[in-house]
Amino acid sequence: MRLYFISEKNFVYLLKTLKKDYEVISPNRKSEYFWKVFDEEFVFNEYRAVNSIRQFFFPAKKTVGQYFNQLQKEKKPYCIVGAKACDLFSLNIQDYVFLSQPQDLDYRLNRENNLIISGDCIDFKEVCFCVLLDILPYPVKFFDLNISPIDNGYIVEVGSEKGDKIIVENEPLFKEAKENHILEINDRRKKMIERLFSHLKAQNLPKKDSLYSLIKNNYQANVWQKEALKCVECGACIMNCPTCHCFLLFDSKLEKDYLRAISWDGCQYKNFTKVAGGANPLKFRSYRLRNRYIKKFEFFYEKLNLYACTGCGRCIDSCIAKIDLREIFKELSYSEVNLK
Amino acid sequence: MSIYIPQETELIKIITETQNIKTFVFKPKNGFSFKTGQFVELTYPGFGEAPFTPSSNPFNTKEFDITIMNVGRVTGLLHKAKEGIVLGLRGPFGNGYPLNEFLKKDILIVGGGVGLAPLRSLLLSLFTEIDKYNKIVLRYGARSPKDIVYKEQLKEWSKIKKVDVVVTVDVGDETWTGNVGLVTSILKDLPLDINNAVSVVCGPPIMMKFVTFKLLDLGFKPKDIYLSLEKNMSCGLGKCGHCRLGKYYICKDGPVFRFSDIKDIWDIWD
């Protein structure tokens, strides 16, 4: 592992330099962290931002073509600063969907060209439960550079050739990392994991390995209807989820021509599975809520041996009806126990 | 080229089949071929796409037919369309009928309503190489005599050697002298050897459900029953998420499935 030190001032200088080749996106602190285009100031986010990084690889709405031609876009790739381990884990799912043959070329280009400067989590939100899913609070994969704050600067870890190139091209900004800094960061990472586990323990959630069977064996559980009755179908859980990938292909009219466009879609909307003849397999909110869990904890588990959940808690945070994934799993585990 | 952009296809002919079903003949600009049972996404530019399974013989690679019932927004527009307009085409998508599995077998084909459209494509491909198959038994049910599609062709097909055709309607009228009853009622005394037969079913979900149960009762093995499933297929590529059924995407893993592969999916008939 190759580690460097960069001062806060030099890091801001680096981001300004990267603006030549990238649209640099960094967190903006308001009541929470939101993504914004980087200008002068950089704020290190202690935990994940409100929105996932999905939008930088597969935008929420995009025009793919004008009949019958593809639109040629000249756009700088993104440099995403402050992505967290949970964000990066979601790329396992998005890659599976969009890089399976035939590939979505836009997505592939974004994956190849975007630069990811991720960061350690040095704090967490009440809704965070990443460690339940064996996701650590610091990135281990899918980053080009990772930063971890220390002593008015950051320890920088190189995660890819692209990241290495950034270091080489901007060499004067970096120093070798000091041994005591590395020890301090490793210690903080360890403590962060301990803190997350003790937070998790207090929540008394079922174990990771049981989540698959808790869903598969409980299609008829009462919890689906009970929780779905609260759902107002706003779709916030879908739009904020880093692993949701469903989308709608649609046409829109220009003055003389037509555009083919894509927007995010999701299974919590009532017409998601409706066909022209009128049939709608997911006609009830309870079916749709259950479908979301089947997709994330059964479908992807069978396909990839991974849950399509990063433990980021965004679905919990964003739900105005206070539907809580953790509570659903707890209730399913109680009903399992009761059945036995 | 983006996988979401269609190619141009000209609508060259429209044939009225029934009051609300028409067959549209298309000529794609850049050439197109499909395997029987695969489906396409047809676009009405500016209004959107809908999935359809071609109803013509796949051996004809210059043009292809789609037989469409007027049920929704895109199909409504298509029914008002005039010959000569240019539409969009993506595909073909998914897996078609595994004709290799049908060699030297008796083939029972059961259709309901406009579900005969994809089956016509299958029938025409089987007829093209009829020596390769033992026998073809078609059982078709429509709501009423007015709703029968391919009326003249059904008569022609019944004259082909090794082909046995029986049609029924749910409700008859003064012109109808044939069978009356659901399609399951004409699935008895079938002139075939069930131990050396496969069956192919296409129609509305409720019809497919009861036909499948009937075929199982008759002794067909789940692996020898092929169903053409339909959901809200949209991207056709297993990416947009609309047509998931159990561990499958209908668009990518289907739309043709062996019943043995899907029988344990709990919401298969929804």
Side-chain angles (χ1 to χ4, degrees):
Chain A
M1 201 199 305
R2 307 206 356 244
L3 298 170
Y4 299 88
F5 175 83
I6 187 167
S7 68
E8 283 175 0
K9 204 174 139 199
N10 280 353
F11 187 67
V12 170
Y13 185 83
L14 175 71
L15 297 186
K16 283 181 184 169
T17 312
L18 290 172
K19 278 169 83 171
K20 268 188 284 178
D21 299 321
Y22 296 94
E23 170 103 310
V24 179
I25 302 291
S26 67
N28 184 19
R29 171 104 219 199
K30 290 197 172 164
S31 57
E32 299 256 14
Y33 290 107
F34 291 89
W35 298 115
K36 71 167 176 84
V37 176
F38 168 78
D39 41 34
E40 296 288 314
E41 200 191 349
F42 173 71
V43 185
F44 181 86
N45 49 327
E46 296 101 327
Y47 44 79
R48 52 95 180 146
V50 167
N51 304 114
S52 75
I53 60 167
R54 167 162 65 128
Q55 59 189 305
F56 305 118
F57 297 92
F58 194 95
K61 195 169 178 183
K62 64 174 178 178
T63 303
V64 288
Q66 198 165 346
Y67 278 87
F68 287 91
N69 302 301
Q70 190 166 351
L71 283 184
Q72 294 301 325
K73 286 169 285 182
E74 290 297 328
K75 199 175 166 296
K76 281 183 189 172
Y78 289 111
C79 165
I80 307 147
V81 191
K84 299 298 184 188
C86 54
D87 287 314
L88 301 184
F89 180 88
S90 71
L91 294 173
N92 283 305
I93 305 298
Q94 302 291 349
D95 283 0
Y96 172 76
V97 174
F98 294 110
L99 298 182
S100 300
Q101 292 297 335
Q103 293 185 338
D104 180 318
L105 294 181
D106 272 358
Y107 179 85
R108 197 181 84 189
L109 287 176
N110 289 339
R111 283 287 283 121
E112 285 169 0
N113 298 337
N114 284 354
L115 184 74
I116 299 177
I117 304 181
S118 57
D120 280 22
C121 284
I122 55 169
D123 202 353
F124 61 89
K125 300 197 72 184
E126 190 280 324
V127 295
C128 292
F129 60 97
C130 52
V131 287
L132 174 77
L133 300 157
D134 295 341
I135 298 168
L136 297 171
Y138 53 89
V140 290
K141 196 182 161 190
F142 290 128
F143 62 89
D144 297 304
L145 295 173
N146 183 70
I147 57 170
S148 189
I150 193 116
D151 211 3
N152 297 323
Y154 305 98
I155 293 295
V156 181
E157 185 181 340
V158 179
S160 72
E161 275 181 29
K162 206 170 14 167
D164 197 37
K165 204 168 155 235
I166 301 284
I167 302 270
V168 172
E169 286 171 355
N170 300 277
E171 206 203 326
L173 301 176
F174 296 91
K175 288 181 193 166
E176 282 296 313
K178 288 183 195 162
E179 192 63 28
N180 64 324
H181 280 168
I182 297 170
L183 289 172
E184 207 174 313
I185 277 172
N186 286 342
D187 187 49
R188 184 174 64 207
R189 284 181 168 183
K190 213 174 125 193
K191 284 191 177 126
M192 187 66 200
I193 294 172
E194 285 166 9
R195 281 180 64 201
L196 274 160
F197 269 112
S198 86
H199 177 62
L200 196 66
K201 198 176 173 192
Q203 297 179 60
N204 198 22
L205 293 174
K207 296 272 180 289
K208 179 192 171 196
D209 293 343
S210 69
L211 303 182
Y212 171 76
S213 55
L214 279 176
I215 298 299
K216 199 167 175 83
N217 300 334
N218 283 296
Y219 293 163
Q220 306 305 334
N222 293 332
V223 70
W224 304 120
Q225 194 166 14
K226 193 182 121 205
E227 292 299 310
L229 282 173
K230 299 191 267 179
C231 175
V232 296
E233 302 177 69
C234 67
C237 52
I238 305 161
M239 297 299 146
N240 286 304
C241 178
T243 69
C244 272
H245 63 84
C246 294
F247 63 86
L248 183 72
L249 266 172
F250 67 99
D251 282 15
S252 58
K253 234 175 182 172
L254 279 181
E255 268 180 31
K256 286 182 184 167
D257 216 331
Y258 304 110
L259 291 178
R260 159 130 310 190
I262 281 179
S263 75
W264 289 355
D265 196 3
C267 60
Q268 301 308 289
Y269 296 128
K270 70 176 178 190
N271 288 340
F272 184 70
T273 56
K274 193 177 173 192
V275 297
N280 187 357
L282 299 180
K283 51 182 156 299
F284 300 120
R285 276 179 294 173
S286 56
Y287 289 11
R288 298 197 283 277
L289 181 66
R290 179 179 58 194
N291 182 74
R292 183 170 157 80
Y293 286 72
I294 292 174
K295 182 78 182 281
K296 295 199 179 294
F297 295 94
E298 191 184 315
F299 178 86
F300 277 111
Y301 191 76
E302 287 178 0
K303 294 278 176 200
L304 294 173
N305 204 26
L306 288 176
Y307 294 127
C309 178
T310 69
C312 69
R314 286 184 175 99
C315 56
I316 306 166
D317 244 356
S318 62
C319 183
I320 56 170
K322 299 201 182 326
I323 297 171
D324 189 328
L325 177 142
R326 297 168 299 179
E327 294 303 319
I328 288 179
F329 272 113
K330 272 200 269 185
E331 199 150 332
L332 289 174
S333 67
Y334 298 152
S335 66
E336 283 265 297
V337 173
N338 290 342
L339 285 173
K340 284 171 194 166
Chain B
M1 188 71 168
S2 165
I3 48 179
Y4 310 118
I5 300 286
Q7 67 150 307
E8 292 174 62
T9 186
E10 190 187 347
L11 171 57
I12 56 170
K13 196 176 173 190
I14 302 171
I15 303 155
T16 299
E17 301 285 353
T18 73
Q19 220 175 325
N20 63 348
I21 299 173
K22 289 179 180 176
T23 294
F24 299 83
V25 184
F26 294 100
K27 190 166 185 178
K29 191 180 173 189
N30 303 326
F32 169 79
S33 65
F34 68 97
K35 288 182 190 145
T36 178
Q38 284 188 304
F39 76 99
V40 299
E41 289 283 346
L42 193 64
T43 318
Y44 202 101
F47 294 92
E49 299 186 308
F52 302 102
T53 303
S55 54
S56 52
N57 191 338
F59 286 91
N60 178 0
T61 53
K62 286 183 185 150
E63 301 161 6
F64 72 98
D65 300 355
I66 305 180
T67 302
I68 297 171
M69 184 190 268
N70 182 0
V71 285
R73 209 167 61 105
V74 173
T75 55
L77 286 163
L78 285 165
H79 270 251
K80 284 183 203 152
K82 300 267 187 296
E83 289 169 0
I85 67 162
V86 174
L87 300 177
L89 172 73
R90 290 193 304 120
F93 298 119
N95 300 308
Y97 296 109
L99 297 183
N100 280 340
E101 305 279 332
F102 299 174
L103 299 174
K104 295 183 182 163
K105 297 226 166 128
D106 292 350
I107 305 160
L108 170 66
I109 296 173
V110 188
V114 76
L116 187 59
L119 297 175
R120 184 178 75 160
S121 165
L122 171 65
L123 285 160
L124 295 174
S125 8
L126 297 176
F127 296 161
T128 306
E129 299 179 310
I130 200 156
D131 294 342
K132 292 182 174 179
Y133 312 101
N134 226 22
K135 190 182 270 183
I136 298 161
V137 177
L138 172 64
R139 295 293 178 262
Y140 174 54
R143 234 175 253 171
S144 76
K146 284 180 191 149
D147 295 310
I148 295 173
V149 290
Y150 312 134
K151 280 191 190 83
E152 293 308 311
Q153 290 164 66
L154 282 163
K155 283 180 206 158
E156 294 299 315
W157 297 342
S158 62
K159 291 176 196 159
I160 302 172
K161 202 181 151 197
K162 299 211 284 190
V163 178
D164 181 274
V165 180
V166 175
V167 179
T168 184
V169 292
D170 297 353
V171 184
D173 62 16
E174 65 284 356
T175 64
W176 184 253
T177 53
N179 296 293
V180 176
L182 298 175
V183 73
T184 42
S185 68
I186 51 169
L187 292 178
K188 53 194 169 195
D189 305 324
L190 294 167
L192 46 76
D193 173 11
I194 282 173
N195 294 320
N196 183 40
V198 293
S199 56
V200 180
V201 189
C202 187
I206 188 83
M207 168 264 178
M208 292 216 282
K209 177 179 177 177
F210 287 104
V211 168
T212 302
F213 292 163
K214 180 81 181 173
L215 295 176
L216 292 168
D217 277 352
L218 289 173
F220 277 93
K221 293 184 192 80
K223 73 171 181 56
D224 293 327
I225 301 173
Y226 294 87
L227 304 177
S228 260
L229 296 188
E230 186 207 44
K231 294 266 169 189
N232 184 15
M233 291 102 96
S234 176
C235 73
L237 307 157
K239 300 192 191 299
C240 79
H242 289 86
C243 64
R244 186 186 65 80
L245 178 74
K247 63 180 177 182
Y248 302 114
Y249 281 122
I250 305 276
C251 70
K252 197 176 180 181
D253 305 309
V256 175
F257 288 96
R258 280 175 191 259
F259 182 60
S260 51
D261 289 334
I262 52 172
K263 68 182 171 55
D264 296 326
I265 298 173
W266 66 297
D267 54 350
I268 169 182
W269 306 115
D270 282 352

